[in-house]
């Protein structure tokens, strides 16, 4: 504690370890560390709708940390081959759920510990990904939008801000949502108990389904 290791100013990246003298528990005597500039946060937005792409791009490129770069790439589902899988940290998927080779690629991505967020297509079908499929679109009664009644604010996507302030999800009005089949663990539900955001696990990573779109309708 309080010990400083001087580094050459030309050394931008590197690694090292701290080792304690041998004791009864040898497994915790060595601690490794790495240092260097933070990697760029690359998000791939898979959609064919410009309005959806713009809304999501504004979110994912808003810097949480001034020391990091936040980038976004917008592609259509048939351009999945252009993704640099090693540099991509998040995928946002809007449209029919992937099948065959595309489905396997996305499963491998999640299994490596990186997340995917799915948004519903305009015309849902019976395709399932990791056992989850979209149902049907439901519209709220006129002038009676649904409200998010319950959500998890202690962790995950909807957790409180760093200073403990809860997100104002209770004020969000939902005019349309798409039902989900075998949705997994709900992180938020509408006032009729329908799942709004759900989470599933595959390998070391998580995948999420959001039941509506970030547009005024």
């Amino acid at each position: 504690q309080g010990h400083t290791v001087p580094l050459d100013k030309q050394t931008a990246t590197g690694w090292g370890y701290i080792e304690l003298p041998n004791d009864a528990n040898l497994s915790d005597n060595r601690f490794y560390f790495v240092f260097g500039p933070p990697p760029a946060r690359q998000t791939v937005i898979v959609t064919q709708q410009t309005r959806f792409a713009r809304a999501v791009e504004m979110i994912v490129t808003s810097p949480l940390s001034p020391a990091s770069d936040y980038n976004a790439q917008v592609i259509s589902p048939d351009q999945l081959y252009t993704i640099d899988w090693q540099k991509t940290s998040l995928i946002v998927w809007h449209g029919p759920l992937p099948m065959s080779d595309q489905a396997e690629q996305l499963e491998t991505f999640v299994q490596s510990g990186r997340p995917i967020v799915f948004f519903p297509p305009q015309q849902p079908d019976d395709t399932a990904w990791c056992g989850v499929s979209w149902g049907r679109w439901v519209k709220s009664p006129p002038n009676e939008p649904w409200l998010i009644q319950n959500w998890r604010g202690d962790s995950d996507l909807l957790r409180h801000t760093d200073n403990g302030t809860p997100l104002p999800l209770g004020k969000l009005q939902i005019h349309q949502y798409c039902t989900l089949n075998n949705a997994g663990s709900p992180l938020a539900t509408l006032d009729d108990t329908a799942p709004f955001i759900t989470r599933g696990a595959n390998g070391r990573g998580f995948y999420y389904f959001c039941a509506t779109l970030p547009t005024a309708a």
Side-chain angles (χ1 to χ4, degrees), residues 4 10 12 18 20 26 29 34 38 49 61 68 75 102 129 135 154 156 166 176 179 185 198 215:
T4 301
Q10 303 302 319
I18 300 169
L20 304 176
L26 300 180
N29 288 355
V34 297
Q49 285 195 3
T61 57
S68 299
I75 63 174
Q102 287 187 338
W129 188 85
D154 57 338
D156 221 288
Q176 295 185 66
T179 60
S185 303
T198 66
T215 58

Side-chain angles (χ1 to χ4, degrees), residues 89-175:
S89 55
L90 169 68
I91 292 178
V92 177
W93 184 281
H94 170 230
L97 292 174
M99 297 185 293
S100 62
D101 292 344
Q102 287 187 338
E104 292 181 4
Q105 287 178 305
L106 295 187
E107 284 192 44
T108 301
F109 180 82
V110 173
Q111 290 168 357
S112 70
R114 292 166 291 177
I116 299 178
V117 183
F118 290 96
F119 287 86
Q122 297 296 332
Q123 297 180 341
D125 55 31
D126 295 333
T127 304
W129 188 85
C130 286
V132 186
S133 62
W134 295 109
R136 61 185 181 88
W137 281 100
V138 182
K139 292 186 177 182
S140 67
N143 301 319
E144 295 183 20
W146 289 292
L147 300 176
I148 298 177
Q149 190 70 25
N150 301 295
W151 68 90
R152 289 192 56 178
D154 57 338
S155 62
D156 221 288
L157 293 184
L158 307 178
R159 64 181 180 271
H160 298 342
T161 61
D162 289 342
N163 62 5
T165 303
L167 300 179
L169 281 156
K171 298 180 180 180
L172 187 62
Q173 298 181 350
I174 311 299
H175 298 281

Side-chain angles (χ1 to χ4, degrees), residues 83-88 114:
I83 294 179
D84 187 335
W85 298 100
Q86 295 300 320
K87 295 182 178 180
T88 300
R114 292 166 291 177

